[in-house]
């Protein structure tokens, strides 16, 4: 009936003097369709409709399988159906556009709607071969055979010129060591290394970008200086800079992993590599109109050769990081472990660095190799809260008594009272939280907190959080004995990570105070 209505509309517009092009635009159909409809008489058109309804299509062989997929996963795309057919049938050779049309017809026939989303991108200039690769992380969930969900993490690489992709998966969050291993696997997969790699400001790779001076994590900086590739850190809210890898992350999520059943990490990674060969790097890229695998054969000659031998032995301590929550706990292996009250800082980087000891204890630090702020016994099970009683706020002590006790712990009690008086004036409703932060600082760094207090009063800072930031900057200038010991045993002890002096923090805090 729909085709008959279109046929009648075309002839009505033709009789009114509309051109073929005008009819096409008005009805939203192609000019070829208008041409073919006009050439047929009503009898010929009726016979053609009956022919289309009775003739057998090549994809009818897979009708039941495709329909079952669409009913089970209503958000399947035509491109993903095409990939699944190739995965399940080795001799499948029907084109992707044909599969898309067939999927669209099935959706209309069986009323299976599909929600689509669109995102606008700005085109950027193409880079020369071997110049750049972009890197990003992704997360997704997959269903197991028993119906439960499995969270998965992946890191994706894409060569900017050829669009040749590589993906590595884990069933746990990545550590810095995992990231380095993934880089080595990607370089081996590519057959070489590009001149430059583009990243987000991820805490496994970079600490920050200080006015253009990139401050990398110590472990990754040692690796970068060994491999000698350039690094470009994207600014926040700058999708155009890394648009290629964002598209890859989306492609991996919605073409490979979506609706796929997870059996084991080894099988999942194997399926991912097969998907890259079959679809991810084989299909014609919509922008370049070329197959990435064919362009990579040329770009490979422009990549820098890397040594196939890279030892991870004696490398720096593995970086396990977790975010500190507002209730001053971190999550590890589905359980919660406490940190001292006041450790969480609003609108700050609340990253904790974890270390698992041989005697099954969990050590928590605010910086790699820094002072231990929490020490817990690892527990099994899920959903448990493991809390150190000393981490709780001293609720039984009145604020006045706690204030007096804090003042007596400072070397210069007059200055301490002056600082606390300024806290009372600025934070009358939050004095308990402010005093809790001071209490924790005195427990962790009883000597250095006095120097930080002098600086805070000099800069007229009136917040316990500012005092803590000053104390942190002072601590950064004095590496711990543990840190020195780690460096002496490392094969990269000749490589030194960039550090900032306390004056740089002071200048920043001055700016914040004047604002």
């Amino acid at each position: 009936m729909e085709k008959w209505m279109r046929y009648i509309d075309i002839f009505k517009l033709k009789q009114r003097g509309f051109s073929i092009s005008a009819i096409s635009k008005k009805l939203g159909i192609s000019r070829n369709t208008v041409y073919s409809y006009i050439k047929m008489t009503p009898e010929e058109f009726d016979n053609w409709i009956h022919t289309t309804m009775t003739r057998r299509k090549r994809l009818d062989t897979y009708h039941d399988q495709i329909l079952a997929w669409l009913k089970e996963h209503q958000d399947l795309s035509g491109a993903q159906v095409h990939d699944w057919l190739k995965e399940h049938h080795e001799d499948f050779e029907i084109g992707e556009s044909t599969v898309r049309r067939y999927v669209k017809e099935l959706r209309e026939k069986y009323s299976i709607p599909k929600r689509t989303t669109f995102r606008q991108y700005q085109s950027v200039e193409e880079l020369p071969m071997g110049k750049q690769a972009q890197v990003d992380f992704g997360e997704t969930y997959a269903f197991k055979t028993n119906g439960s969900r499995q969270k998965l993490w992946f890191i994706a690489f894409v060569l900017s010129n050829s669009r040749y992709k590589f993906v590595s998966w884990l069933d746990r969050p990545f550590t810095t060591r995992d990231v380095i291993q993934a880089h080595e696997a990607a370089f081996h997969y590519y057959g070489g290394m590009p001149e430059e790699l583009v990243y987000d400001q991820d805490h496994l790779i970079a600490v920050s970008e200080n006015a253009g001076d990139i401050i990398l994590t110590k472990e990754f900086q040692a690796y970068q200086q060994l491999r000698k590739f350039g690094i470009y850190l994207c600014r926040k809210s700058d999708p155009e800079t890394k648009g290629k890898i964002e598209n890859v992350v989306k492609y991996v999520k919605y073409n490979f992993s979506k609706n796929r059943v997870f059996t084991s990490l080894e099988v999942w990674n194997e399926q991912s590599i097969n998907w890259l060969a079959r679809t991810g790097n084989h299909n014609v890229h919509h922008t370049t109109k070329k197959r990435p695998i064919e362009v990579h054969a040329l770009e490979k000659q422009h990549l820098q050769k890397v040594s196939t031998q890279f030892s991870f032995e004696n490398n720096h301590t593995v970086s396990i990081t977790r975010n500190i929550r507002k209730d001053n706990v971190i999550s590890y292996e589905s359980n919660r472990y406490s940190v001292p009250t006041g450790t969480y800082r609003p609108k700050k980087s609340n990253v904790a660095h974890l270390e698992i000891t041989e005697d099954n204890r969990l050590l928590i630090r605010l910086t790699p190799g820094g002072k231990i702020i929490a020490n817990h016994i690892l527990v099994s099970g899920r959903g448990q809260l493991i809390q150190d009683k000393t981490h709780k706020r001293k609720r039984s002590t009145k604020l006045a008594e706690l204030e007096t006790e804090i003042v007596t712990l400072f070397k210069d009690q007059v200055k301490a009272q002056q600082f606390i008086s300024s806290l009372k004036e600025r934070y009358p409703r939050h004095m308990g939280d402010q005093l809790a932060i001071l209490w924790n600082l005195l427990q962790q760094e009883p000597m250095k907190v006095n120097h930080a207090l002098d600086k805070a009063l000099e800069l007229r800072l009136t917040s316990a959080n500012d005092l803590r930031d000053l104390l942190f900057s002072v601590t950064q200038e004095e590496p711990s004995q543990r840190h020195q010991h780690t460096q002496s045993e490392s094969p990269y002890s000749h490589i030194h990570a960039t550090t900032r002096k306390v004056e740089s923090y002071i200048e920043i805090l001055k700016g914040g105070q004047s604002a």
Side-chain angles (χ1 to χ4, degrees):
M1 181 59 68
E2 181 181 351
K3 289 184 172 63
W4 268 113
M5 295 301 298
R6 181 176 296 176
Y7 179 81
I8 294 171
D9 290 340
I10 290 175
F11 270 89
K12 283 182 179 180
L13 293 173
K14 182 64 176 177
Q15 290 173 358
R16 291 169 57 185
F18 280 78
S19 66
I20 299 296
S21 179
I23 295 173
S24 172
K25 291 181 180 179
K26 190 171 183 63
L27 298 180
I29 58 179
S30 68
R31 286 180 294 177
N32 289 338
T33 301
V34 177
Y35 275 121
S36 62
Y37 277 37
I38 288 178
K39 288 180 180 180
M40 289 185 284
T41 64
E43 292 77 11
E44 291 173 340
F45 188 76
D46 185 62
N47 292 332
W48 174 75
I49 289 179
H50 282 85
T51 302
T52 59
M53 293 174 62
T54 56
R55 70 184 180 189
R56 183 173 178 81
K57 299 179 180 179
R58 288 193 296 167
L59 283 169
D60 284 345
T61 305
Y62 313 99
H63 173 279
D64 294 342
Q65 188 175 30
I66 297 175
L67 183 60
W69 287 342
L70 292 176
K71 287 183 176 180
E72 183 179 359
H73 313 291
Q74 295 188 9
D75 52 355
L76 271 179
S77 65
Q80 194 173 9
V81 171
H82 181 254
D83 176 67
W84 283 18
L85 288 170
K86 289 196 298 182
E87 181 177 4
H88 288 77
H89 306 279
E90 295 183 359
D91 58 344
F92 187 83
E93 296 181 352
I94 301 176
E96 183 177 321
S97 59
T98 303
V99 176
R100 285 178 175 175
R101 287 194 297 270
Y102 192 79
V103 168
K104 182 180 180 181
E105 292 174 3
L106 289 183
R107 288 189 180 279
E108 293 174 354
K109 182 177 179 180
Y110 294 96
S111 300
I112 307 175
K114 179 179 183 295
R115 183 179 298 176
T116 57
T117 57
F118 299 92
R119 181 175 181 179
Q120 300 295 331
Y121 291 93
Q122 181 178 349
S123 59
V124 295
E125 184 178 352
E126 291 293 339
L127 294 172
M129 290 187 173
K131 175 65 179 177
Q132 184 191 87
Q134 297 184 7
V135 187
D136 203 0
F137 297 88
E139 301 176 5
T140 189
Y141 284 92
F143 283 99
K144 296 182 179 181
T145 53
N146 61 4
S148 62
R149 293 205 309 170
Q150 171 69 52
K151 188 172 183 179
L152 298 168
W153 290 260
F154 67 91
I155 182 172
F157 299 75
V158 61
L159 291 174
S160 295
N161 185 279
S162 64
R163 308 304 203 275
Y164 200 66
K165 310 163 194 66
F166 175 75
V167 185
S168 180
W169 294 83
L170 285 178
D171 54 2
R172 56 172 173 76
F174 277 80
T175 66
T176 305
R177 180 166 178 169
D178 295 325
V179 173
I180 294 174
Q181 289 176 323
H183 277 68
E184 290 296 301
F187 296 156
H188 177 73
Y189 186 79
Y190 287 149
M193 179 181 66
E195 296 179 19
E196 177 187 67
L197 284 95
V198 177
Y199 304 94
D200 265 337
Q201 295 189 26
D202 190 273
H203 62 268
L204 296 176
I205 295 171
V207 177
S208 68
E209 186 177 15
N210 183 23
D213 295 327
I214 300 173
I215 303 176
L216 302 174
T217 61
K218 180 175 181 179
E219 189 175 2
F220 195 78
Q221 180 166 352
Y223 174 69
Q224 182 266 335
Q225 291 183 1
L226 180 70
R227 285 301 188 208
K228 301 187 184 304
F229 52 80
I231 288 181
Y232 181 90
L233 284 187
C234 296
R235 294 182 178 181
K236 295 181 179 179
S237 303
D238 185 18
E240 283 79 12
T241 306
K242 52 182 175 60
K244 298 181 182 68
I245 191 61
E246 285 194 341
N247 285 332
V248 170
V249 169
K250 180 180 177 182
Y251 192 29
V252 171
K253 284 184 178 181
Y254 295 104
N255 192 288
F256 169 72
S257 67
K258 192 174 184 179
N259 302 314
R260 185 178 293 273
V261 177
F262 178 85
T263 55
S264 70
L265 184 63
E266 182 180 359
V267 172
W268 187 270
N269 270 299
E270 182 180 353
Q271 291 175 341
S272 177
I273 293 298
N274 292 337
W275 172 81
L276 287 172
R278 180 182 64 248
T279 298
N281 290 324
H282 182 269
N283 285 359
V284 175
H285 194 276
H286 293 298
T287 301
T288 64
K289 307 301 181 185
K290 300 175 182 178
R291 298 184 190 277
I293 191 172
E294 296 174 354
V295 184
H296 173 254
L298 301 175
E299 185 172 20
K300 185 177 180 179
Q301 305 172 26
H302 299 268
L303 298 175
Q304 303 174 26
K305 300 299 180 183
V306 295
S307 170
T308 57
Q309 296 182 354
F310 180 84
S311 175
F312 289 94
E313 299 300 326
N314 300 320
N315 205 347
H316 297 288
T317 304
V318 175
S319 300
I320 305 175
T321 59
R322 291 292 187 276
N323 288 328
I324 302 171
R325 299 182 182 179
K326 292 182 179 179
D327 52 352
N328 291 288
V329 298
I330 62 97
S331 177
Y332 181 74
E333 297 291 341
S334 301
N335 289 312
R336 294 171 295 153
Y337 296 85
S338 68
V339 295
T341 301
T343 302
Y344 173 82
R345 298 178 295 171
K347 299 181 181 180
K348 298 287 185 179
S349 175
N350 290 285
V351 177
H353 296 261
L354 280 54
E355 178 186 348
I356 312 301
T357 65
E358 293 182 357
D359 56 347
N360 207 35
R361 298 195 69 88
L362 174 66
L363 307 182
I364 304 176
R365 299 179 173 88
L366 294 180
T367 59
K371 183 179 180 61
I372 298 173
I373 64 169
N375 186 336
H376 296 283
I377 299 177
L378 280 176
V379 298
S380 57
R382 299 168 64 90
Q384 298 187 61
L385 172 62
I386 297 85
Q387 192 167 41
D388 188 331
K389 293 182 179 180
T390 62
H391 293 168
K392 295 182 179 181
R393 182 183 302 163
K394 302 184 69 174
R395 301 182 184 275
S396 60
T397 306
K398 294 181 180 180
L399 291 182
E401 296 176 356
L402 179 59
E403 176 186 334
T404 301
E405 187 175 355
I406 288 175
V407 170
T408 58
L409 294 176
F410 278 95
K411 183 178 180 181
D412 192 327
Q413 297 183 15
V414 175
K415 289 183 178 180
Q417 189 61 60
Q418 179 185 346
F419 184 73
I420 292 178
S421 297
S422 66
L423 296 182
K424 288 182 179 179
E425 182 177 350
R426 185 176 180 184
Y427 302 102
R429 295 177 55 199
H430 300 89
M431 273 305 294
D433 296 323
Q434 293 287 315
L435 292 176
I437 295 174
L438 291 179
W439 174 266
N440 289 325
L441 294 180
L442 287 163
Q443 302 305 309
Q444 297 171 20
E445 299 289 351
M447 301 302 296
K448 296 174 185 176
V449 72
N450 291 283
H451 178 54
L453 177 63
D454 292 338
K455 289 288 185 181
L457 293 174
E458 178 185 341
L459 297 171
R460 297 182 180 179
L461 301 177
T462 56
S463 169
N465 287 316
D466 292 338
L467 180 64
R468 177 169 50 190
D469 290 339
L470 280 172
L471 178 61
F472 173 74
S473 66
V474 171
T475 306
Q476 284 290 87
E477 290 184 328
E478 302 177 8
S480 65
Q481 293 298 322
R482 175 182 173 82
H483 192 190
Q484 295 174 2
H485 179 70
T486 303
Q487 284 186 324
S488 65
E489 293 183 350
S490 170
Y492 312 115
S493 57
H494 62 288
I495 301 174
H496 301 285
T498 307
T499 58
R500 289 177 287 182
K501 295 182 178 180
V502 67
E503 285 76 10
S504 64
Y505 288 94
I506 294 175
E507 290 299 322
I508 294 173
L509 291 171
K510 282 183 178 179
Q513 184 71 10
S514 61

